[in-house]
Structure formats: structure tokens, C-alpha cells
Amino acid sequence: MTPLDQTAPAFVDMAHAIVWASVATVDADGRPRTRILHPIWEWDGTDLFGWVATVPSPVKRAHLAVNPYVSVSYWTTSHDTCSADCLVEWYTDDETCTQVWDKFANGPAPVGYDPRIIPQWSEGPTSPEFAALRLTPYRLRVMPGTVMMQGAGKVLSWHS
């Protein structure tokens, strides 16, 4: 196992370079479902959290109500991959939604973007169609593509 203080920064760097992630939830019958989401991650030297700006759809709400966990997986054509298995918490209050909105609106390229490009969010962060998911990882894995393609580099793995 690699310490969090080595794994988390490498994870954030790779995740933010790739931007889009496949995120899996599980329904009440134990069946997985994936979707593409755009998390933004924060590492403060001690804790790692991810945030997802999302439409609080009935499917996501139902899945997370019975299984409040997601698996987040990133991949790029160079075969760089990283993943995070996380506990998830919904936030719909105006203060948190505004903070998360601002994280994306002011985030570094390429992970930052103007959330108003999403049609359902034209009313801003206090719209009922806007919610935030907080991701708290309990397992991380980072694998540079060079490990698979050239036998060079190091796989980083951490779990709580």
C-alpha cells in the first residue's frame, strides 16, 4: 500500500488531466449502473474529497439512498488509469451548492468550466435541478499507462 500523501496528489493530477469519469452506482437489487460525470478533487495535504455538480435525478437519488457508494474510474488513450471508491453525500442546500458551483466556475483548466452551459442550471446554483455530491474516497488506485505499455512506472494503491 502507498501512503495517502503520495497517492492522493498523483490521483488528483491524473483525474484532473483526464476530466471525465465513468461513475457506477448500485440499485436496490444490486445491479450496477454507470454514467459519465465530471468530478473536481481537493487535496489539502491531509484529506481528499471530490465534488460532482449534478442533476439530482430520481435514479441517482434512489441508488444512493440504498447504497451511498460510487466507484469512479478514469481512463485515457495513453492507458493512464485511476480510480476511487467513495462514500457519497448529497448536498442540496444553497450554501454548499453555491460553493460547489464556484469550484467548477473558477476551477483550473481543463477541469473547470462554466456550469451555466448545462441547460437545467440556467437559474444558477440555487436551482432545484442543481445538486452537489461529496465523494470521500476509501480506496484509490493510480496506474500510469507506462506500467502496462512499457513495464515502467509504479502503481499506487491506498485504502483507509
Side-chain angles (χ1 to χ4, degrees):
M1 186 166 77
T2 311
L4 182 61
D5 65 352
Q6 293 175 29
T7 308
F11 174 83
V12 172
D13 287 347
M14 187 179 287
H16 282 186
I18 296 171
V19 180
W20 294 97
S22 178
V23 178
T25 57
V26 176
D27 69 15
D29 295 321
R31 297 174 298 201
R33 183 165 180 175
T34 59
R35 61 201 39 86
I36 302 299
L37 295 175
H38 180 165
I40 194 166
W41 296 91
E42 297 179 327
W43 167 245
D44 66 6
T46 303
D47 296 309
L48 176 65
F49 296 105
W51 292 96
V52 176
T54 190
V55 173
S57 72
V59 170
K60 273 186 239 148
R61 283 192 169 281
H63 286 198
L64 294 174
V66 294
N67 290 304
Y69 298 94
V70 295
S71 185
V72 181
S73 181
Y74 294 88
W75 173 85
T76 190
T77 57
S78 67
H79 298 296
D80 286 347
T81 60
C82 62
S83 59
D85 295 329
C86 306
L87 174 67
V88 178
E89 298 171 85
W90 278 104
Y91 286 86
T92 56
D93 64 283
D94 290 351
E95 181 180 351
T96 305
C97 286
T98 299
Q99 289 172 359
V100 170
W101 180 283
D102 290 344
K103 287 178 193 304
F104 284 97
N106 300 308
V111 76
Y113 71 99
D114 180 0
R116 289 189 193 277
I117 66 170
I118 307 299
Q120 298 98 312
W121 300 344
S122 62
E123 295 177 30
T126 60
S127 163
E129 292 298 310
F130 184 86
L133 295 175
R134 180 178 170 184
L135 310 177
T136 305
Y138 58 87
R139 183 179 301 122
L140 296 171
R141 185 172 190 271
V142 180
M143 187 181 83
T146 56
V147 172
M148 181 175 23
M149 302 304 291
Q150 301 167 8
K154 182 178 177 185
V155 176
L156 306 177
S157 295
W158 169 86
H159 61 85
S160 60

